Amino acid sequence: MAQLADQLDGKVAVITGAARGQGEAEARLFVARGARVVLTDLLEEEGEKVAAELGDAARFVRHDVSSPEDWARVVEVALAEFGTVDVLVNNAAIYWTKAFADETLEGLDRIFKVNFQGVFLGMQAVLPTMKERRSGSIVNISSQSGLEGLPSHSAYGATKWAVRGLSKTVALETGEYGVRVNSVYPGVIDTPMIAKAGVERGEGKFPGVPLRRIAAPEEVAEVVAFLASDASSYMTGGEIVVDGGMTAGAVPPAGRY
């Protein structure tokens, strides 16, 4: 446990979508493990509250991840307040389910701007600093639906497949600079985003998940912290699945969830 306590000691991380849910869990764990964090979100009140609770090791920036100007400002804050950027966690995303026949071009454009363009711009924003220092870890949050087709996930799934491919491409292009790019594939995680989609929480509600339960956001945060840390120093272009076994193979007749 003593090792984990300083797992991220001295590192500076930018974490998007950190006002609540999975991003908040990541921000809290990073600070607990010794990092300083710039947490970003459009949810200003919630984000400021999390940053205040984390104290001097955290700063909040209101941030539209689809905006290049906002990304430049986030990096400016990180450099001004903490001196560098060692880690980027592209966590921010929006989510809905809709049959493919009912999906719209407007919906597709909206979800790609956040889920994919946000990741693209984030990496472009931090890479100059990371390349100059010849060190850095980028963790892109994809999804179970970025590994397999899921009904009613045409738009969301397409963005997460795109994040998967982009992560591998950037890993190939940045390895020579000591920058690592890895991706994480959560399944059903107990966050406000999932609650909004109407997924029923609770023990025994997920007979189609091999582990028979929904995950806590802290369980994903632990994986992200590992990828951000020097313990994963020879990992780049990698994929870690955190889905309770959902993508391991055939699921029981009871169904997917």
Side-chain angles (χ1 to χ4, degrees):
M1 290 299 291
Q3 240 181 344
L4 281 181
D6 59 3
Q7 180 187 35
L8 300 172
D9 191 41
K11 293 192 182 297
V12 176
V14 172
I15 303 176
T16 68
R20 63 182 186 179
Q22 193 171 288
E24 178 186 351
E26 291 157 3
R28 291 186 183 280
L29 182 65
F30 273 47
V31 170
R33 299 277 169 86
R36 290 168 292 170
V37 175
V38 176
L39 51 134
T40 85
D41 209 300
L42 284 175
L43 301 174
E44 194 165 359
E45 185 176 344
E46 294 94 325
E48 291 282 11
K49 182 175 182 291
V50 174
E53 290 174 358
L54 292 176
D56 291 340
R59 301 289 186 275
F60 173 75
V61 178
R62 188 182 187 280
H63 178 206
D64 173 0
V65 296
S66 70
S67 164
E69 294 78 18
D70 274 17
W71 269 111
R73 187 162 51 88
V74 167
V75 172
E76 285 174 9
V77 169
L79 296 179
E81 295 290 327
F82 299 133
T84 191
V85 178
D86 299 296
V87 178
L88 168 64
V89 182
N90 276 312
N91 175 81
I94 55 176
Y95 173 79
W96 62 76
T97 57
K98 185 179 288 189
F100 172 70
D102 298 327
E103 192 54 80
T104 65
L105 185 59
E106 291 77 14
L108 192 66
D109 181 61
R110 179 181 169 223
I111 203 167
F112 259 90
K113 279 186 175 178
V114 176
N115 293 12
F116 178 74
Q117 184 173 308
V119 172
F120 180 94
L121 291 173
M123 290 196 287
Q124 284 196 333
V126 303
L127 277 173
T129 299
M130 290 182 174
K131 283 182 175 181
E132 183 180 353
R133 298 182 68 246
R134 303 193 69 82
S135 175
S137 175
I138 296 173
V139 184
N140 293 327
I141 307 299
S142 181
S143 166
Q144 175 190 342
S145 61
L147 293 170
E148 62 178 358
L150 293 177
S152 300
H153 283 68
S154 58
Y156 181 79
T159 67
K160 294 304 187 176
W161 279 91
V163 167
R164 183 185 186 190
L166 181 64
S167 300
K168 290 183 176 294
T169 299
V170 179
L172 293 174
E173 294 184 8
T174 59
E176 65 181 294
Y177 300 98
V179 178
R180 302 182 295 108
V181 184
N182 294 288
S183 48
V184 176
Y185 300 79
V188 188
I189 313 300
D190 191 2
T191 67
M193 186 171 75
I194 290 296
K196 188 177 179 181
V199 174
E200 190 177 1
R201 307 180 187 188
E203 291 294 329
K205 301 292 186 184
F206 299 89
V209 179
L211 286 182
R212 299 300 194 273
R213 64 178 178 85
I214 194 171
E218 289 77 13
E219 292 177 282
V220 180
E222 288 283 358
V223 173
V224 174
F226 164 70
L227 290 174
S229 77
D230 295 338
S232 60
S233 58
Y234 201 59
M235 290 181 65
T236 194
E239 302 175 340
I240 299 185
V241 184
V242 191
D243 71 348
M246 289 290 290
T247 54
V251 295
R256 300 298 295 181
Y257 302 128

